[in-house]
Amino acid sequence: MSTETLMRVSNLKKYFPIRKGVLRRVAGHVKAVDDVSFQIRQGETLGMVGESGCGKSTTGRSIIRLIEPTAGSVKYRTAGQEEEITHFNKTQMKAFRQRVQMVFQDPFSSLDPRMSVRDTVSEPLFVHRMGSQKERTEQVKELLQTVGLSVTHLNRFPHQFSGGQRQRIGIARALALRPELIICDEAVSALDVSVQAQILNLLQDLQSEFGLTYMFIAHDLSVIDYISDRIVVMYLGKIVEVATKQQLYDNPSHPYTEALLGAIPIGEKRVGEGKRLLLGGTVPSPANPPPGCTFHTRCPYAADICRQKEPVLESVANSGDHQAACHFTTELELKSFYDFSQVDRSGA
Amino acid sequence: MEPTNVQLRSDHGFEDEATETVLSQRTVRFRRFRRNRLAVAAVIVLAVLYLVMVAFPEFFSNHFYQTHHADYVYAPPQIPRFVDEEGTFHLRPFVYPITSELDMETFNWVYTTDTSQRNHIYFFTRGYSYDLLGLFPTDIHFFGLEDPEQPLFLFGTDRLGRDVFSRILFGGRVSLTVGLVGVFLTIIIGSFMGTMSGYFSGPIDNAVQRLAEVLMSFPSIPLWAALGAALPSGWTPLQNFFAISVILSLRNWTGLARELRGKVLSFRESEYTLAAKCVGASHLHIIVRHMIPNSMSHIIVISTLSIPFMILAETSLSFLGLGIQPPSTSWGVLLQAAQQVNVVLEQPWLLLPGIFVVIAVLSFNFLGDGIRDALDPYSS
Amino acid sequence: MTEPNRLVEVNDLEVVFDTVEGRTHAVNGVSFSMDAGETVGIVGESGCGKSVMSLAMLQLVPRPHGKIARGSIIYYQRGKAVEITKLNPTGKAMRALRGNEMAMIFQEPMTSLNPVYTIGEQIMEVLRLHQKMDNTRAKQRAIEMLEKVGVPDAAQRVEEYPHQFSGGMRQRAMIAMALSCTPNLLVADEPTTALDVTIEAQILELLAELQRDINMAVLFISHDLKVIGEIADRVIVMYAGWVVEEAMREDIFQNPQHPYTRSLLAAIPRIGRRERLVSIPGRVPSLSQLPPGCFFAPRCPAATDQCRREEPQVFTVNQGHTVKCWNYWDKEVQKTS
Ligand SMILES: Nc1ncnc2c1ncn2[C@@H]1O[C@H](COP(=O)(O)OP(=O)(O)OP(=O)(O)O)[C@@H](O)[C@H]1O
Ligand SMILES: Nc1ncnc2c1ncn2[C@@H]1O[C@H](COP(=O)(O)OP(=O)(O)O)[C@@H](O)[C@H]1O
Ligand code: SF4
Ligand code: SF4
Ligand SMILES: [Mg+2]
Ligand SMILES: [Mg+2]
């Protein structure tokens, strides 16, 4: 894995207007993504985690302009040159679409029910006018084999497949244009553990086979831990912590990260009385985020300053790789994941 | 620690050749449709109606629908029988001949049945000559008496002594087809407008929605009356009716468009549309490859359900004298003859066309429901 | 010879659906029992018949295509045995049990709450029906229940509609409704699957607390073994309509016997674990085309010819631990050692 930056996102914002009344006047904004900066490095898997409604999908979609960001810059490195994709015109955008693809969450709605597997997987090739129909079919067969489906499935329709198989079809479609970066938006969240393991293994193998870079969005920290190299934790449209996974589990530096780690179901005996850490309340509405630190409404360590001043994302200790956005990062003694469980980590 | 290719193939769960038999979507839908008895019955009824009335009304009628039988005015239906007055059973159905006489007091025609003679009904008999399907000259009819001059009026006759049975068949030819033109136009306009307004929300959607609201707020009967009066006088009644169907559909597309708009709105938000955008597909591509194919089943259902509306519209217009006009005939025209109460009381058989309207309309409704349930069993 | 504490006994239950694609065997001879106040977890992959099983407990199998084809469910109502399978699903006796003594909560609270009535009205409806409460008392109780399940400003939110509640709040409201008549048995079908882990932790904690309060038995269904492990005393593993293993929670995690249970455990990603996940090849067979012999044989690493021929027998590993497998783990160990 190199440390070269493939995508550099700076100060990205996405505000959705809230319209009210018959005249559909803009009455406010949902701040789905609010000033987010991060990088994706060539060949890595960047995990993104947070409760639902924290703006993970919106971030994933904005950085490839599936929805237009409100503000901010997204730079993508092509042939050693960083290009600003928010300024791309239509033709440049179409060329860019070949480099970055997406795998979606819902194995049921992400495939058009009226399209056969052949049509679905060859759609990207068709849109980009690649090869003749016959060549495209050959490519589809190859792709199906790559993702572990039988070529006898070519003419079947989505409803004839299980959730895991449908997710494979979605992955085959994403691979068709030979992209460099794949954004997986909750790609395994809807699957059973047994099938989830199949897909996670498949994604890992594809990464080493094709040298792919992943941005992997999930709300399950154990999945994120398994597949990612670095992890971004989001809360209410903002990044609250960025760390390598080792740093995150050994030394979480934001109370929200601690809470997420504490809430992971273990299924086995817990340390001491072995309670799951309870984070009270729910994510506030992003249309009306709390002032100061947005997490202060639920944070067990909140002090006065938290209600007034917004913390900035700063390096933790002297590691440039590890950043957190909390006024008390250095003072707090947050529990690591291993304080909640007795899981043997000799496998590390 | 990079996994080797060999490892790669082993444990992310490769699918073997398909071992389970999976029914195709079409088979499942067909079976589901077949389970709906009413819908299957409707298909059979409609097939018979279209075969008898639209394709071969000449063959199935024993009299030409415009022939006047001056001796048989307002003749009551002659019901074929197997058992004669003496109680003897006859294998071949027959009717007794009838003769009419004017009751000089009431000026009603009084019919007497002559039970001394049996007129047996034969199949594939000779009668008036016609061109089968407009191509093959022939005079063979499905049924008739040996002597075609003898009376055989299954559903009786009307004011001018015309055979009501034949008139229903020929009227059906018009009633069952002319509405389809309107339905076809409705589908074209409605699908276009609905897809556009659902897919491109914003100004286009707003414009289409407002237009639909304006159109739907016109009261229909006065509108038809006005349009009926405004049509050029030189046109044949059939041309007039085509014009009116076109006008009807110019108003009727709104229902289909609304329904489709909702569907397309939800398709547009689905992840497969997002996936298509993600590979760089254009709007045209998304509409043609995703929106329209997914809407197809709704279009089919809605159009099946709007055929009966068109049949009823034709019937009501003709009944009001705005649609098809004599000497052309349609079920609406036939029902015009049953406008007066005393006719209904004295010659109730003139209401028989109404029963056919009901049968056709119900059948289309059952068929539409059947198709809808087969395509989408979970829609309420 | 029934135990004094017994609440439910399910014997050889079979539930089938007749669809256009043929007969679906959703539940194939399931037997288990529950004691009062106990939490039993049912785990298995999607399409294993967990939901159908739980619906059958309340005689809610969707009709007309579905029916209980065989077996019995016996519910001990204050010590008196009532055979639920003999009751008319829509009859008075069943309706008096349902919602009153036995309650159910579902995965998607939005589909089980009626969008056109306020949360309060829906809870009051249950109370009026089963407890014959008048309006004022029912409303009081509804607010009490909402407070109990941790809905803030209950007095005010009782007037709100389901869509005004967040996912976690809706699930709380569902629980309030289910528990308003203090049932003896709660069937919870994946009540936390649609929620975030943080909210899931809150809901599980809440359930455990309420359960202690009213000594209610809970049948908790989930496809996630980790969640089951957080709440259940005893775990039932289902596969293709069979109970393949049943044991106390510790035994399931520390001494799993069935190859399916072992695979499920190995497929769970765990923090700190670096080795490759073990996935189960293939998928749950179509329940309308079940293979002969052991239903798990096509995916089982330990399958033998016997497995492909004969339905496995149920073996007792030790007290309270049974497994339906010809070559369960301890047997293998004994054989090889
Ligand atoms: N109403 C129904 N009609 C026909 N078949 C049904 C019906 N409900 C369930 N089934 C079938 O019964 C089987 C078991 O379904 P069930 O919903 O119990 O699975 P489950 O274990 O709860 O899965 P999940 O984890 O996805 O909820 C499936 O094969 C399903 O297709
Ligand atoms: N198209 C949209 N219009 C208005 N609000 C939206 C839209 N898409 C997402 N949001 C809002 O933005 C916030 C973040 O959503 P999302 O990115 O989907 O979160 P996540 O993926 O983390 O669950 C949510 O509050 C959501 O309701
Ligand atoms: S800044 Fe304050 S409220 Fe925010 S996370 Fe840190 S301690 Fe909690
Ligand atoms: S009976 Fe055989 S096939 Fe079935 S689980 Fe046991 S070992 Fe595997
Ligand atoms: Mg999301
Ligand atoms: Mg279920």
Side-chain angles (χ1 to χ4, degrees):
Chain A
M1 195 216 322
S2 71
T3 47
E4 253 184 295
T5 302
L6 182 63
M7 188 180 255
R8 189 187 301 275
V9 179
S10 321
N11 307 101
L12 184 79
K13 287 184 187 169
K14 176 67 200 182
Y15 292 178
F16 293 103
I18 307 169
R19 292 177 194 277
K20 282 227 171 95
V22 251
L23 293 177
R24 323 230 357 95
R25 264 216 200 92
V26 178
H29 286 96
V30 176
K31 296 179 178 168
V33 178
D34 197 6
D35 204 0
V36 156
S37 306
F38 63 94
Q39 287 110 47
I40 304 175
R41 296 174 188 163
Q42 173 83 49
E44 77 168 346
T45 301
L46 178 71
M48 182 174 267
V49 71
E51 286 167 279
S52 72
C54 280
K56 308 181 298 289
S57 302
T58 309
T59 307
R61 289 170 191 188
S62 306
I63 59 173
I64 57 170
R65 288 183 60 189
L66 266 185
I67 46 183
E68 290 298 327
T70 311
S73 119
V74 181
K75 291 206 169 71
Y76 189 83
R77 192 175 49 75
T78 325
Q81 206 73 39
E82 282 200 350
E83 291 181 82
E84 178 63 51
I85 70 156
T86 50
H87 296 161
F88 276 177
N89 62 24
K90 233 178 168 172
T91 21
Q92 284 173 309
M93 220 34 234
K94 197 161 174 181
F96 175 69
R97 294 258 175 255
Q98 299 189 26
R99 303 174 163 272
V100 183
Q101 280 298 306
M102 203 155 174
V103 176
F104 296 90
Q105 166 170 11
D106 186 348
F108 288 89
S109 89
S110 61
L111 303 179
D112 187 332
R114 308 278 150 180
M115 271 198 177
S116 66
V117 173
R118 180 209 305 265
D119 291 341
T120 299
V121 178
S122 69
E123 182 172 42
L125 303 168
F126 175 82
V127 165
H128 288 272
R129 302 277 176 270
M130 286 177 172
S132 65
Q133 179 151 8
K134 219 169 138 206
E135 285 162 355
R136 287 200 294 263
T137 304
E138 281 314 305
Q139 279 218 45
V140 170
K141 284 186 186 164
E142 207 173 291
L143 284 163
L144 288 184
Q145 275 165 344
T146 312
V147 298
L149 287 170
S150 155
V151 290
T152 54
H153 292 153
L154 209 56
N155 292 318
R156 291 206 185 173
F157 285 83
H159 78 277
Q160 298 170 316
F161 294 97
S162 66
Q165 288 175 314
R166 285 155 161 264
Q167 214 54 322
R168 285 169 202 263
I169 299 170
I171 293 171
R173 171 177 59 193
L175 288 177
L177 295 171
R178 305 266 170 246
E180 298 162 344
L181 170 64
I182 296 186
I183 297 173
C184 303
D185 188 356
E186 311 255 14
V188 298
S189 306
L191 305 175
D192 276 320
V193 273
S194 55
V195 182
Q196 178 178 302
Q198 293 174 357
I199 301 294
L200 287 174
N201 286 345
L202 170 68
L203 286 171
Q204 270 189 339
D205 295 340
L206 293 173
Q207 181 166 39
S208 52
E209 195 170 278
F210 300 111
L212 293 169
T213 305
Y214 288 142
M215 174 163 150
F216 199 93
I217 299 172
H219 60 257
D220 184 344
L221 262 172
S222 9
V223 169
I224 286 279
D225 170 71
Y226 180 70
I227 196 145
S228 321
D229 302 305
R230 289 193 310 129
I231 297 170
V232 170
V233 183
M234 274 192 88
Y235 185 74
L236 209 55
K238 294 186 194 291
I239 293 180
V240 297
E241 185 161 1
V242 185
T244 64
K245 71 175 157 192
Q246 209 62 47
Q247 287 165 341
L248 195 85
Y249 297 109
D250 289 347
N251 180 26
S253 299
H254 194 282
Y256 183 58
T257 314
E258 181 195 45
L260 287 181
L261 292 172
I264 298 175
I266 318 259
E268 283 162 87
K269 275 220 201 84
R270 291 172 174 277
V271 171
E273 253 310 279
K275 268 221 172 164
R276 259 167 112 174
L277 181 73
L278 279 191
L279 179 62
T282 48
V283 187
S285 156
N288 190 14
C293 173
T294 47
F295 189 53
H296 82 245
T297 51
R298 302 168 78 192
C299 180
Y301 312 106
D304 281 345
I305 180 173
C306 307
R307 287 181 259 284
Q308 283 136 29
K309 193 159 160 265
E310 191 185 329
V312 289
L313 195 63
E314 284 173 328
S315 292
V316 174
N318 37 26
S319 152
D321 256 2
H322 191 176
Q323 300 170 303
C326 169
H327 294 305
F328 303 106
T329 304
T330 45
E331 283 110 273
L332 291 174
E333 292 259 325
L334 299 178
K335 287 183 183 158
S336 78
F337 171 71
Y338 311 101
D339 296 331
F340 297 109
S341 71
Q342 278 184 327
V343 176
D344 177 20
R345 46 187 303 252
S346 52
Chain B
M1 65 154 279
E2 306 231 316
T4 63
N5 258 2
V6 186
Q7 203 181 342
L8 186 156
R9 298 300 173 218
S10 63
D11 71 340
H12 60 235
F14 264 75
E15 301 288 332
D16 292 323
E17 295 298 296
T19 47
E20 281 167 18
T21 52
V22 181
L23 297 181
S24 76
Q25 189 140 336
R26 199 169 300 172
T27 320
V28 170
R29 287 177 169 174
F30 180 67
R31 288 197 190 170
R32 232 187 262 136
F33 183 84
R34 228 175 35 188
R35 263 206 326 207
N36 185 335
R37 298 258 168 79
L38 267 180
V40 174
V43 170
I44 296 168
V45 168
L46 287 174
V48 169
L49 283 184
Y50 272 82
L51 196 75
V52 170
M53 302 195 176
V54 178
F56 305 111
E58 299 94 343
F59 173 67
F60 285 100
S61 61
N62 57 326
H63 296 288
F64 184 57
Y65 74 104
Q66 286 181 340
T67 312
H68 298 215
H69 302 272
D71 292 340
Y72 301 101
V73 169
Y74 281 142
Q78 288 168 282
I79 295 151
R81 43 203 297 176
F82 289 94
V83 180
D84 64 20
E85 287 296 286
E86 280 100 52
T88 329
F89 178 82
H90 299 270
L91 199 55
R92 186 171 284 287
F94 63 89
V95 290
Y96 287 120
I98 47 173
T99 48
S100 59
E101 203 181 311
L102 195 62
D103 180 335
M104 296 312 278
E105 262 167 51
T106 59
F107 284 101
N108 275 346
W109 289 91
V110 178
Y111 282 88
T112 45
T113 310
D114 171 14
T115 54
S116 65
Q117 186 193 341
R118 290 192 308 272
N119 282 340
H120 282 281
I121 296 174
Y122 290 85
F123 292 96
F124 303 105
T125 53
R126 288 181 190 281
Y128 70 92
S129 31
Y130 64 97
D131 292 346
L132 189 71
L133 291 171
L135 293 174
F136 312 106
T138 177
D139 59 358
I140 303 287
H141 291 263
F142 182 58
F143 68 93
L145 301 180
E146 220 165 3
D147 174 10
E149 296 305 310
Q150 283 289 318
L152 173 58
F153 304 113
L154 289 183
F155 289 173
T157 62
D158 67 2
R159 184 170 54 87
L160 299 174
R162 293 173 300 194
D163 178 29
V164 172
F165 179 75
S166 312
R167 290 180 68 71
I168 288 178
L169 298 198
F170 281 89
R173 176 179 261 182
V174 173
S175 293
L176 289 173
T177 50
V178 103
L180 298 183
V181 179
V183 171
F184 183 71
L185 267 173
T186 306
I187 292 170
I188 303 276
I189 305 174
S191 316
F192 181 78
M193 294 294 211
T195 311
M196 287 300 133
S197 96
Y199 186 78
F200 300 105
S201 47
I204 295 185
D205 182 28
N206 251 327
V208 173
Q209 292 275 85
R210 295 300 90 75
L211 177 65
E213 276 160 22
V214 170
L215 284 175
M216 291 213 284
S217 60
F218 283 143
S220 21
I221 304 253
L223 181 72
W224 295 340
L227 288 166
L231 290 174
S233 53
W235 284 10
T236 65
L238 214 55
Q239 276 176 325
N240 269 342
F241 191 74
F242 269 110
I244 290 179
S245 320
V246 170
I247 292 159
L248 277 181
S249 53
L250 283 181
R251 183 174 176 278
N252 272 338
W253 59 266
T254 52
L256 174 62
R258 289 216 148 177
E259 188 122 340
L260 272 188
R261 173 178 174 272
K263 288 292 162 199
V264 169
L265 261 177
S266 71
F267 298 150
R268 192 189 68 170
E269 297 301 327
S270 69
E271 288 189 341
Y272 60 78
T273 311
L274 209 56
K277 280 189 190 149
C278 194
V279 302
S282 60
H283 291 314
L284 185 69
H285 174 95
I286 294 175
I287 290 177
V288 173
R289 303 277 296 217
H290 297 286
M291 301 297 122
I292 294 183
N294 276 290
S295 314
M296 218 53 197
S297 55
H298 301 280
I299 297 177
I300 292 172
V301 171
I302 295 169
S303 44
T304 319
L305 291 178
S306 64
I307 293 174
F309 169 80
M310 284 293 180
I311 293 177
L312 284 177
E314 182 275 320
T315 312
S316 356
L317 284 182
S318 303
F319 181 81
L320 293 174
L322 298 171
I324 311 275
Q325 265 138 33
S328 303
T329 190
S330 76
W331 288 342
V333 173
L334 294 181
L335 284 175
Q336 249 183 318
Q339 266 176 352
Q340 282 120 29
V341 181
N342 63 333
V343 173
V344 174
L345 290 178
E346 310 266 334
Q347 288 90 25
W349 58 89
L350 291 183
L351 284 176
L352 282 170
I355 291 178
F356 281 86
V357 173
V358 172
I359 291 174
V361 166
L362 281 183
S363 300
F364 272 112
N365 277 328
F366 291 146
L367 174 65
D369 286 345
I371 296 178
R372 189 184 51 214
D373 293 346
L375 293 178
D376 182 7
Y378 300 109
S379 75
S380 55
Chain C
M1 57 165 280
T2 51
E3 332 221 332
N5 229 357
R6 211 17 75 77
L7 185 69
V8 189
E9 248 164 45
V10 177
N11 294 312
D12 198 22
L13 187 73
E14 180 177 330
V15 183
V16 297
F17 289 97
D18 285 312
T19 65
V20 283
E21 287 170 65
R23 179 165 266 218
T24 303
H25 298 265
V27 177
N28 296 303
V30 162
S31 306
F32 68 91
S33 59
M34 285 176 79
D35 289 344
E38 191 188 24
T39 305
V40 175
I42 297 190
V43 71
E45 285 171 275
S46 186
C48 277
K50 308 183 298 291
S51 296
V52 173
M53 166 71 228
S54 58
L55 290 171
M57 301 277 292
L58 275 77
Q59 279 270 36
L60 285 174
V61 176
R63 298 199 305 162
H65 302 315
K67 66 164 191 275
I68 295 180
R70 175 157 60 81
S72 66
I73 300 171
I74 295 166
Y75 174 78
Y76 291 90
Q77 191 175 25
R78 287 175 289 275
K80 197 172 90 237
V82 180
E83 190 162 351
I84 290 181
T85 26
K86 290 256 165 68
L87 298 180
N88 177 1
T90 52
K92 203 169 168 194
M94 195 60 231
R95 276 182 294 140
L97 277 179
R98 214 186 278 142
N100 195 15
E101 302 215 12
M102 318 165 102
M104 184 153 184
I105 49 181
F106 300 93
Q107 170 169 352
E108 191 18 82
M110 202 56 204
T111 51
S112 27
L113 289 170
N114 190 335
V116 302
Y117 293 108
T118 64
I119 298 281
E121 281 165 350
Q122 300 187 46
I123 300 179
M124 284 158 64
E125 176 68 29
V126 179
L127 289 168
R128 272 199 303 262
L129 205 71
H130 293 297
Q131 312 265 301
K132 311 272 178 282
M133 283 192 192
D134 59 35
N135 266 341
T136 22
R137 279 203 38 226
K139 182 149 185 190
Q140 229 173 346
R141 177 98 175 121
I143 296 173
E144 244 172 64
M145 284 312 296
L146 286 179
E147 266 165 4
K148 210 168 188 173
V149 297
V151 173
D153 308 323
Q156 194 187 324
R157 304 211 68 171
V158 74
E159 309 282 351
E160 288 183 8
Y161 290 88
H163 72 266
Q164 291 168 287
F165 275 45
S166 69
M169 283 298 160
R170 260 181 238 145
Q171 203 54 277
R172 282 166 196 267
M174 267 302 293
I175 294 176
M177 194 154 115
L179 300 195
S180 56
C181 297
T182 55
N184 295 326
L185 172 67
L186 177 71
V187 179
D189 186 5
E190 313 227 14
T192 60
T193 303
L195 306 174
D196 278 311
V197 276
T198 48
I199 311 298
E200 172 180 273
Q202 294 172 5
I203 299 282
L204 292 189
E205 180 69 26
L206 171 73
L207 264 181
E209 201 177 294
L210 295 170
Q211 184 183 10
R212 271 192 305 272
D213 279 4
I214 60 178
N215 191 34
M216 152 184 87
V218 178
L219 185 65
F220 191 98
I221 292 153
S222 172
H223 65 269
D224 191 344
L225 254 174
K226 291 179 298 177
V227 176
I228 291 281
E230 292 281 339
I231 189 160
D233 304 324
R234 207 146 49 82
V235 180
I236 292 172
V237 183
M238 269 188 89
Y239 186 78
W242 278 350
V243 170
V244 293
E245 184 161 5
E246 179 181 346
M248 297 309 283
R249 176 195 27 195
E250 286 70 29
D251 284 339
I252 287 287
F253 282 92
Q254 262 124 50
N255 185 24
Q257 292 295 322
H258 196 279
Y260 181 60
T261 317
R262 298 188 75 87
S263 308
L264 276 184
L265 283 165
I268 300 175
R270 284 176 186 282
I271 288 184
R273 166 181 163 160
R274 293 292 167 268
E275 67 285 12
R276 227 173 136 76
L277 297 174
V278 180
S279 64
I280 313 178
R283 54 178 162 129
V284 184
S286 156
L287 297 183
S288 54
Q289 295 167 49
L290 287 165
C294 176
F295 297 160
F296 190 57
R299 304 170 76 188
C300 179
T304 58
D305 279 345
Q306 183 187 24
C307 306
R308 284 180 272 271
R309 249 188 354 253
E310 285 174 62
E311 173 173 339
Q313 206 175 306
V314 179
F315 297 92
T316 304
V317 183
N318 51 43
Q319 170 87 48
H321 189 167
T322 55
V323 55
K324 187 184 177 81
C325 171
W326 291 121
N327 312 311
Y328 62 98
W329 191 253
D330 276 357
K331 209 174 191 175
E332 283 290 292
V333 172
Q334 283 154 14
K335 253 187 275 170
T336 49
S337 59

